[in-house]
Amino acid sequence: MKRRNFLIYSLLLTAGCTTATERNAPKASVSLPETLRFGVTDVRTLQELEQDYEPFRMALAEIFETKIEFVPINSQLAAASTLRSGQLDLAWAGPSEYVAIKARSQAVPLVSLNRPNYYTTISVRGDSGIKSLADLKGKKIDMEEVGANTAHLGGIKVLLDAGLNPKTDFQVVMSGQETIEELKQGRVDAWSTAVHIYQQALAKEGATETDYPIIARGENFPGDIFVVAGKFAPEVVEEMRSRMLANTDKLLQAIQASSLGKKFKDVSFSPSNDADYDMIREVYKAIGQDEYLQ
């Protein structure tokens, strides 16, 4: 009886030691590619990439322990084709660009870069008599540029939510500039833009919110997003995501060390959530530009 108990205890001890050894053993590391080609969806020249994104490239190279090469992207929508063709491995995309990339390639989202005050404002002249979004029916609204995240897509979303039809109830004007000039000169009745652009324009003009009051603001826009080409194995993608999230301080310091610091003030990284970008898909459908989703 004693001999049998001794054997049982010996087996339990051996099993326990084996389990503890397995639990304490380091996990096998996942190797990342020797080189990753990295681009930004609204940066079209190598010179601009090197000027504005070099600290971030260096931080990525250190975190991934691999070589990071810049790849200029010829247009906002070209990122999808370069990811598909293998010319691009990793992209920093704006919200609207991400929606197009996701629809047109097998790219996988990694992490989002969230901006705490990233929302649309719609402002008017103080002497215009316009007090609400309903008053914009039949009016001209400057939305700066087709596909601009907060100015165009965010503006349309605000007006949609107010019950206005973007195809019939107002006229969109694309001035191509992030200034208050069109509104100031009376060439448009309202201006849709990001809150920080609005504030910068007022400061430059020496104007106040009384001169150009905000009549509506949108919900916070989803952040920029980092995506990788669909060719990578799931474990490689997860390793990239884990390393970025584990080193957010280093990445944020790199952003603040460049000219990007002013634009991306007080930002934070988080795991990406594709559903956050459905508001952009809704807008593209409402304005009849479903091709961005195909």
Side-chain angles (χ1 to χ4, degrees):
M1 187 68 165
K2 290 181 180 179
R3 178 181 176 82
R4 185 172 64 181
N5 288 341
F6 174 78
L7 290 174
I8 292 172
Y9 294 149
S10 297
L11 289 171
L12 289 173
L13 178 61
T14 302
C17 291
T18 302
T19 302
T21 301
E22 291 175 350
R23 185 166 53 243
N24 295 326
K27 293 181 179 179
S29 60
V30 176
S31 297
L32 299 185
E34 292 184 2
T35 300
L36 288 170
R37 288 157 293 190
F38 168 62
V40 182
T41 54
D42 60 352
V43 181
R44 303 184 182 186
T45 69
L46 181 59
Q47 180 181 0
E48 190 177 354
L49 281 168
E50 292 173 342
Q51 176 180 313
D52 296 335
Y53 293 85
E54 178 60 14
F56 191 81
R57 184 199 67 78
M58 293 174 63
L60 273 182
E62 183 178 346
I63 289 168
F64 288 159
E65 298 179 292
T66 192
K67 183 179 180 182
I68 304 291
E69 292 181 351
F70 281 135
V71 176
I73 300 174
N74 293 331
S75 69
Q76 292 182 346
L77 296 180
S81 60
T82 53
L83 284 163
R84 283 199 313 268
S85 67
Q87 298 172 347
L88 187 66
D89 301 312
L90 174 66
W92 178 339
S96 63
E97 294 88 348
Y98 164 69
V99 167
I101 289 171
K102 183 67 175 174
R104 300 178 179 200
S105 75
Q106 298 299 313
V108 181
L110 283 179
V111 298
S112 293
L113 184 60
N114 308 300
R115 295 158 69 177
N117 294 302
Y118 189 34
Y119 59 86
T120 299
T121 59
I122 296 183
S123 56
V124 298
R125 293 185 306 279
D127 60 359
S128 68
I130 298 173
K131 302 298 182 183
S132 69
L133 292 177
D135 296 332
L136 290 179
K137 195 165 186 177
K139 305 295 186 182
K140 294 181 180 179
I141 306 172
D142 180 10
M143 295 188 172
E144 296 173 6
E145 184 180 5
V146 174
N149 286 295
T150 45
H152 181 205
L153 303 179
I156 294 292
K157 182 67 167 63
V158 171
L159 292 158
L160 272 174
D161 290 346
L164 295 177
N165 187 327
K167 294 181 180 179
T168 59
D169 287 342
F170 52 88
Q171 181 182 343
V172 174
V173 175
M174 299 297 181
S175 67
Q177 55 187 350
E178 295 179 337
T179 73
I180 209 164
E181 193 63 22
E182 295 298 295
L183 185 59
K184 177 183 176 182
Q185 297 300 329
R187 290 189 284 265
V188 296
D189 303 290
W191 180 33
S192 173
T193 193
V195 62
H196 70 281
I197 299 297
Y198 166 79
Q199 292 168 345
Q200 290 169 13
L202 288 191
K204 185 176 180 179
E205 189 66 28
T208 68
E209 292 191 21
T210 301
D211 300 316
Y212 299 97
I214 295 173
I215 61 170
R217 59 154 286 179
E219 59 186 282
N220 218 48
F221 223 67
D224 287 7
I225 192 165
F226 291 81
V227 298
V228 293
K231 64 182 180 182
F232 294 114
E235 60 268 24
V236 172
V237 174
E238 185 53 41
E239 181 70 11
M240 291 184 189
R241 180 183 292 114
S242 296
R243 291 195 190 190
M244 292 186 76
L245 291 174
N247 292 276
T248 56
D249 287 347
K250 186 172 291 185
L251 293 173
L252 292 173
Q253 287 171 8
I255 290 173
Q256 296 304 317
S258 71
S259 59
L260 303 174
K262 188 173 182 179
K263 179 179 180 181
F264 294 100
K265 184 180 180 182
D266 299 326
V267 295
S268 62
F269 283 95
S270 68
S272 56
N273 181 6
D274 180 77
D276 291 342
Y277 299 82
D278 285 344
M279 62 179 291
I280 298 172
R281 298 179 175 104
E282 176 190 350
V283 171
Y284 276 132
K285 290 177 181 178
I287 61 179
Q289 294 184 354
D290 294 42
E291 64 271 17
Y292 282 93
L293 308 177
Q294 301 170 356

